[in-house]
Amino acid sequence: MSKNIFLITGGSGFIGSYLSNYIHLLQLGEIYIVDKEKPPKYINKNIFYKKIDILNLESLEKFICSVKPNYIFHLAARTDLRGNSLESYKNNIVGTENIIKCTKKVKSIKRIIFASSMLVCKVGYKPKNEFDYCPSNFYGMSKVIMEKLIRKESLKYSWCIVRPTSIWGPGFKEPYKNFFNLILQKKYFHIGNKKTLKTYGYIGNIAHQLIELITKEGKLINRKTFYLGDNSKYNIREWADEISKLSISGEIKTLPPKLVFILSLIGTLLNKFKIKIPLTLFRFKNMTTDNILDLEPIKKVSQKLPFNREDAIKLTLKWILNEMKYDSYNEFKKLMRTNSKIIFRKSP
């Protein structure tokens, strides 16, 4: 029986690198990753890496046609919010067009997972359905265009669109790594007594959900859109207190909302003069605005998640405190383990 072949674009990124190792642990098949950046040091040596910019159609097509993947996770994208035009995010638009062009030339494709973003709608906006958009920045706009161009294509293989929520865990970077570091450095504070609720997701659970979207029956997945995140919503105050308690950082102080607003206003003004201050009006609004997203579709596909939040926090703190140690696959692999039982499935 031939092995399934997986291709992950953006395989050097946070989600892509974790996912590739996760697939390897599950022994689901051969894994190829493409990225214009260097591969992480903790990628398993049996995972094949190829340096390719997805904007280079010729190189991408040649590679995909030679590998003949069965399953593709298209994760490659520019994800920061600093771009000042749609042209800044051509990776998200043209890159996706290139993936579609290439996959039309191979008959091996069974399913593709296209990664979009929750920011196709601004924070706090509740879309009426998956076709209702309200982006507030060029990054979100680029993902809206991406989703629309996927849906207009007549693709012969099964596909779905995923919108990762706020994803955190070992290997993460800004802004969520900063959130943990501020708590560890005792620089984080609560804003009044407001209960801010958000949808977040631990990286181990997101990798699990992505695998479920590959292994489950096509009619449950095809042409659908899924937000990815942990099953329960986060009370940010409670989450921060949990992190503080598990890291023995002491009690988190609470500041009056008016004072924090004034400080964020000052931070915004200083940033205009290129004086970098983490607290801005944008950050203040984000910290005080609920953002609860509809996870019911993914819950129907992936009901039980392997990591609870306490275990996830402990693993993340361990990674932060020993980050330089986790340069090898064997060390990083330990962070994927949990007290919960992970079911090793047969190849899809």
Side-chain angles (χ1 to χ4, degrees):
M1 181 179 177
S2 60
K3 290 184 178 180
N4 285 305
I5 299 175
F6 294 84
L7 173 63
I8 302 174
T9 70
S12 295
F14 173 38
I15 297 177
S17 57
Y18 194 106
L19 176 63
S20 59
N21 280 329
Y22 195 78
I23 294 173
H24 178 77
L25 281 177
L26 295 178
Q27 300 179 326
L28 295 179
E30 297 179 3
I31 306 148
Y32 294 81
I33 64 174
V34 299
D35 204 301
K36 64 181 181 180
E37 305 295 337
K38 294 180 180 179
K41 294 179 181 179
Y42 47 79
I43 285 290
N44 183 272
K45 63 181 180 179
N46 294 316
I47 296 172
F48 183 84
Y49 162 83
K50 181 72 172 178
K51 185 174 182 178
I52 295 178
D53 187 335
I54 59 172
L55 294 179
N56 188 328
L57 178 58
E58 183 179 354
S59 297
L60 186 64
E61 182 179 307
K62 182 178 179 181
F63 183 73
I64 290 180
C65 289
S66 65
V67 170
K68 295 182 175 59
N70 305 120
Y71 302 97
I72 296 178
F73 295 92
H74 176 43
L75 307 178
R78 177 178 176 178
T79 58
D80 66 84
L81 305 181
R82 296 187 295 272
N84 55 14
S85 68
L86 276 175
E87 178 66 18
S88 303
Y89 296 96
K90 62 183 179 181
N91 271 40
N92 305 354
I93 302 169
V94 179
T96 300
E97 289 176 333
N98 287 347
I99 287 291
I100 291 173
K101 288 176 183 177
C102 294
T103 55
K104 285 183 176 181
K105 296 193 174 184
V106 290
K107 297 180 180 180
S108 59
I109 308 294
K110 295 179 181 178
R111 186 170 299 171
I112 296 185
I113 311 297
F114 292 99
S116 180
S117 169
M118 69 174 181
L119 291 181
V120 293
C121 294
K122 64 183 179 182
V123 174
Y125 181 83
K126 292 185 178 181
K128 302 178 182 66
N129 52 54
E130 62 188 294
F131 312 110
D132 183 18
Y133 299 110
C134 185
S136 61
N137 49 56
F138 287 112
Y139 168 61
M141 291 178 192
S142 73
K143 287 298 188 176
V144 171
I145 295 171
M146 170 191 167
E147 289 194 12
K148 288 182 176 180
L149 71 86
I150 294 168
R151 291 193 180 103
K152 76 176 184 180
E153 293 285 342
S154 299
L155 302 176
K156 295 182 180 180
Y157 46 76
S158 173
W159 60 268
C160 72
I161 293 171
V162 295
R163 296 174 180 171
T165 56
S166 299
I167 312 304
W168 60 282
F172 64 169
K173 297 180 181 179
E174 295 183 10
Y176 307 114
K177 185 179 179 182
N178 291 350
F179 174 68
F180 270 73
N181 282 334
L182 286 171
I183 293 173
L184 291 173
Q185 296 165 10
K186 299 182 180 181
K187 295 179 180 179
Y188 181 82
F189 49 82
H190 297 307
I191 301 176
N193 296 314
K194 187 180 187 308
K195 181 189 293 186
T196 303
L197 302 176
K198 293 183 181 291
T199 301
Y200 277 65
Y202 177 66
I203 183 63
N205 291 333
I206 301 310
H208 177 78
Q209 289 174 335
L210 287 168
I211 295 300
E212 293 284 81
L213 289 170
I214 286 291
T215 57
K216 290 297 174 67
E217 189 178 348
K219 67 180 182 180
L220 298 174
I221 311 300
N222 195 28
R223 303 183 68 86
K224 296 184 179 179
T225 303
F226 301 89
Y227 282 101
L228 304 181
D230 291 345
N231 286 341
S232 58
K233 55 194 174 186
Y234 282 39
N235 177 331
I236 301 304
R237 187 186 187 94
E238 291 178 356
W239 185 34
D241 285 338
E242 287 173 11
I243 296 169
S244 181
K245 180 180 179 181
L246 290 170
S247 63
I248 320 177
S249 296
E251 185 177 353
I252 296 176
K253 296 180 180 179
T254 299
L255 296 182
K258 289 184 179 180
L259 174 60
V260 179
F261 176 80
I262 293 171
L263 292 174
S264 64
L265 180 60
I266 294 171
T268 300
L269 293 172
L270 290 175
N271 279 346
K272 289 184 178 181
F273 293 98
K274 297 184 179 180
I275 301 174
K276 193 172 182 181
I277 302 294
L279 183 59
T280 62
L281 288 174
F282 175 83
R283 192 68 57 82
F284 173 79
K285 184 177 180 181
N286 187 52
M287 291 170 67
T288 55
T289 302
D290 290 346
N291 193 44
I292 303 171
L293 302 166
D294 182 12
L295 296 178
E296 289 307 312
I298 192 63
K299 285 182 181 179
K300 293 177 182 177
V301 175
S302 177
Q303 297 177 356
K304 187 176 181 181
L305 298 178
F307 293 89
N308 64 52
R309 194 164 75 187
E310 182 175 335
D311 286 340
I313 292 172
K314 289 178 180 177
L315 291 171
T316 303
L317 290 171
K318 184 177 180 182
W319 176 77
I320 291 175
L321 296 173
N322 302 278
E323 186 173 350
M324 297 305 295
K325 178 181 176 182
Y326 292 100
D327 279 346
S328 72
Y329 170 74
N330 287 334
E331 289 296 333
F332 191 81
K333 180 172 63 176
K334 296 175 184 178
L335 294 172
M336 298 186 189
R337 293 175 179 167
T338 174
N339 293 329
S340 303
K341 184 178 179 181
I342 297 177
I343 300 174
F344 285 72
R345 304 178 184 279
K346 295 181 180 179
S347 298

